Each structure stands twice: as structure tokens, then as C-alpha cells.
Amino acid sequence: MPLSRWMEQYQRGDYAGVIADAEKLTAATATSAVALRLAGQAAAKLAQPLLAATYFLRAAQCSDVSSASHGESLANAGLMLARAGRPDAATLAWLSDLRLSTHRSAHSVSVRQLFEHFSDRVDAQLACLATAVHSPAHFHPFFPVFLQQLDSCDVDAPKRPVPRPAMTGPISVIVCSHREDRFARFSAECAHAFAGDDVEIVRIDDARFMGDGYRRGMASARGEWLLFTHDDIELLSPEFARRVRESFAGADVFFPVGSAALAGPAWFSAGPAYLRGAVTLPSAAPGACDVAWCGVVRPDESMALGDGFFIGAHRGVAHAIGWDGDPDDGFHGYDLSFTCRAARSGVRVRAATRLQILHYSLGDFDANWLSTAGRVCVRHAIPGGPARSAQWVRRNGIPRQDAVALFDRVADWLDAAPAALEGLIQDALGGCVQEAASVGPTGDSVNRVVELLRAVVSQPAALRG
């Protein structure tokens, strides 16, 4: 039957007719999914929430799991199950929606309902929020809530997943630094952060432009793993050397903050939906700093562009990509050029989410920078795009020790969220099964719902893998 007929039935209030026709559907098509969602709404109008949930779950089975309509169907199924007095089943529907946050945005209803449902379990709230914020659409609405929950409790994340084996071999830190006082501080910072590791500092104190300094630094470096850094940074993370080596294990090029889309002239030009990572900045309060996040990195997500205050690159990749040789570039545009060309070459370009770095410069995006960036965009056929400002979620004026602890707690929860969410799903599924075994007159309907929920739980397995 054409969808227009379904809509006509629904609009004239023939809800029973919509439901009767839905029972005749057999093929799992996109058209069937729309019709089943309409049947769910019709059953809700007739105050039959369990039946409505059945149709919404069937609609989810007929939908592409990466589509917004799949999430909407699961969110509505959860609402109907909650209305029917089936909290475990409702929770399972919302968790199944949230589970796909690394591939598409969960419906906001699912996130909010789960936060309310787990009001007496802050660990579960944190797991749900840490999962939700992997979706760019939910980062700015829910990441502040996530931070507030962390502030209000001392619940640690579940055990962090085993990191990739750290890479071995010498590391060369390449820095253009012409001021003795800044280089002295930078050297002391590296000595502390890389204590006991096989690390050298290659200083270029007379670079004519950044590309010149980095080219000469590469030529004299002995390391297999290269770090190109500014001299106005502090390396805050504990065991910094180990974290750098872990970052190299998962990437050929990495940086703490960047963009998953290329829309020059700046790393943040693509807009908030594509920005990833975090940076720590100096605070107006003495002895304190500000921690700022612009987005959460999805597992093994490729980056298109990175900020240049700290860039790691495998030696072979760095030599193959190279640094621009135009003296007119000065000390701008080098990161735009290098990271976007690395991404285009097909090597693994990633955001390093476990490296906390304090950068003392906020950037000088003046006319000189814009002129250079525009030239680089033309040189490498980078789409122009606006030079909009990055949007951050910040915690300001934090004592340094607390800032380091907060950064790692956030990273721990973001890493642990998928496994923690799976635990919540299995708990909810177990509750549904027990509930189905103990029901009375509505037993057939409840068992049907549980059967559909089981199918939904297993449905996205291929996509998640």
C-alpha cells in the first residue's frame, strides 16, 4: 500500500486501520520502516503502549542502523515501554540507541531518559554521557553535564582498555627556538617529561621560517620518531614519554587537537562538528590553568588537519611529506600544509587524546597569518572556508595538579565508556528476560517485546565491529 494511504488513514484518525495494515507487512524495507513508525504512533494514540513499542522496534529492525530514523524508533520504543511500566525494557531500547554513538548521534531523548533513569547510579550516568559525547551533535549539549558529574563525585572509570604496545627506538624533539630563556625552560621541560628515555632535542636557533627550521632539524635528527614542537609548551601528562610512544603505535602523524574535515585556512575552520581533542592554556589565576576540549575522537578516527604546536610523525612519513620551502610563509601555515598533505597521502593521521600539553600561546590570527594561510590553501588546493573560531568547553582556573587529574579522568571515562555501556546493556537485558518470565496476562506482548529487543541488541554488531 502506498505510504500516502497510510498517512491519509492516520490523519483522519483511523488508527485501528493503520495498525491492521501494519500487521500485513512482511518485507523489511525502508518503506516498511516508515509505515511501522506510523503504526507505533497510532497504537500510542489508542493508549496501547506495549503494542506501540512493538511497532517502533520492528521499525528499527527495518531501518539502516546508521540513520537518524533508527535512533528515533528506539527512543520512541523506550518511551512507550516506560509508559507501559517496563523500565528494564525501556532502558535497553535507549541503551541500544546510545550504543551507536560512535557511528551516528543517539536520539537526545535516549540520552536524557538514561540520565534520569540512572539518577541513583553516577557510574552509569558517566558511562552514558561519555558514550553520548562521542557524537559531535551531542558534544556541546552533554559534555558540560559530563564534567559536572565528574566534579560531583570521585567515581573512577572502569579499568582502561589495554593500550597499544609502545613503539621503541630513539625520539627526536625538533624545535625552532631563538630565545635562550625560552629554550632553557623548554629543555628542562623535556628533561623531566622524557627522563630515562632515548630522546634528543634538536634545536634550530636561526630558522628563517618554520619550514626551514623543521627541514634542517629533520636532516640532523637521529630519531625514528620525530616531534615537531613550539618552545612555549609544558608537557603535563604523567609518563609523558610512554604516552608519546603509545601514540606513535597508533598513528603515523598525530597532534593533540585537530579537525576531521578539511576546510582551511585554519585547523578549526571546518566548524564545531569536526573538531577533536583538547589543549591546556594558561589561566589568569596564579598557579592555575584552563583545560579546554573541542570534541571527542571516535575510535581510530582519521584527522584531516592539526594544530602545529605539537606534531608527532614517523621519520619516513615526515621526509616523504616534507615541509614547505617558501620563505614568505614565515611562521604561519606550516601545520596546515604538513598535516593536510599527510592526511591526503593515506597515512594514519590521528588526534593524540592522552597527551596533555599546556600551550602558552593562544595564536595570533592577524592579517599576516590570514595572508599566509590563504597562500598555502592555493598552493595545496585546500578549500578556502571561513576562518571561524574554535568552540571550546572549558574548565578555567584549575590548580595544575587538579587539571592534570581532570584531564586523565575525562580520557579514562571516554576510553572505558564502550565496555561500561555493554555491561549496562547486559544488565538491562537480563532484567527484561526475568520480567518476561514472570508476567501474567500481558505475557505474549512482553515476550514479543523482549524478542524484538534481543534482535535489536544484536543488530548493530557488524557495524560496531
Side-chain angles (χ1 to χ4, degrees), residues 30-31 33 54 56 110 134 153 180 183 198-199 212 275 280 286 313 332 337 391:
T31 300
T54 299
F56 285 127
S110 297
H134 279 82
C153 71
E180 294 300 331
F183 181 69
D198 186 4
V199 176
D212 167 57
L275 305 188
T280 302
H332 297 305
S337 170
Q391 295 182 21

Side-chain angles (χ1 to χ4, degrees), residues 262 264-266 305-306 333-341 373 376-377 382:
L262 179 61
L305 200 61
Y334 62 93
D335 47 358
L336 170 65
S337 170
F338 181 85
T339 57
C340 86
R341 288 184 293 115
V376 172
C377 286
I382 298 170

Side-chain angles (χ1 to χ4, degrees), residues 127-143:
C128 291
L129 291 169
T131 302
V133 297
H134 279 82
S135 167
H138 289 329
F139 176 75
H140 284 283
F142 291 111
F143 197 80

Side-chain angles (χ1 to χ4, degrees), residues 151 279-293 356 358 393-404 406:
D151 289 342
V279 64
T280 302
L281 302 165
S283 174
C289 50
D290 303 342
V291 186
W293 294 264
Q356 186 179 19
L358 173 61
V393 175
R394 299 173 68 128
R395 278 288 181 269
N396 295 333
I398 308 174
R400 182 166 308 208
Q401 185 175 353
D402 294 343
V404 172
L406 175 61

Side-chain angles (χ1 to χ4, degrees), residues 72-120:
E72 181 182 351
S73 296
L74 291 175
N76 284 330
L79 290 174
M80 293 299 101
L81 290 166
R83 187 179 298 178
R86 306 295 175 186
D88 285 326
T91 302
L92 186 54
W94 293 323
L95 288 170
S96 297
D97 178 24
L98 184 60
R99 184 194 223 175
L100 288 164
S101 288
T102 55
H103 299 280
R104 61 152 172 82
S105 297
H107 199 285
S108 60
V109 163
S110 297
V111 183
R112 297 183 189 283
Q113 290 294 326
L114 286 168
F115 186 77
E116 181 177 339
H117 174 77
F118 289 119
S119 59
D120 60 345

Side-chain angles (χ1 to χ4, degrees), residues 167 169-174 185-202 222 225-230 233-248 254 310-312 355-357:
M167 305 303 287
I171 294 174
S172 294
V173 180
I174 301 170
R185 287 195 297 270
F186 178 78
S187 297
E189 190 66 25
C190 289
H192 173 73
F194 293 101
D197 207 315
D198 186 4
V199 176
E200 66 168 352
I201 300 176
V202 179
R222 66 178 178 84
W225 314 101
L226 308 180
L227 298 175
F228 301 92
T229 83
H230 291 192
I233 62 173
E234 291 186 30
L235 311 176
L236 299 183
S237 293
E239 298 183 286
F240 194 86
R242 175 184 59 79
R243 298 187 190 210
V244 165
R245 292 186 178 279
E246 288 177 1
S247 298
F248 273 123
F254 64 79
F310 190 95
I311 298 174
L355 298 179
Q356 186 179 19
I357 298 172

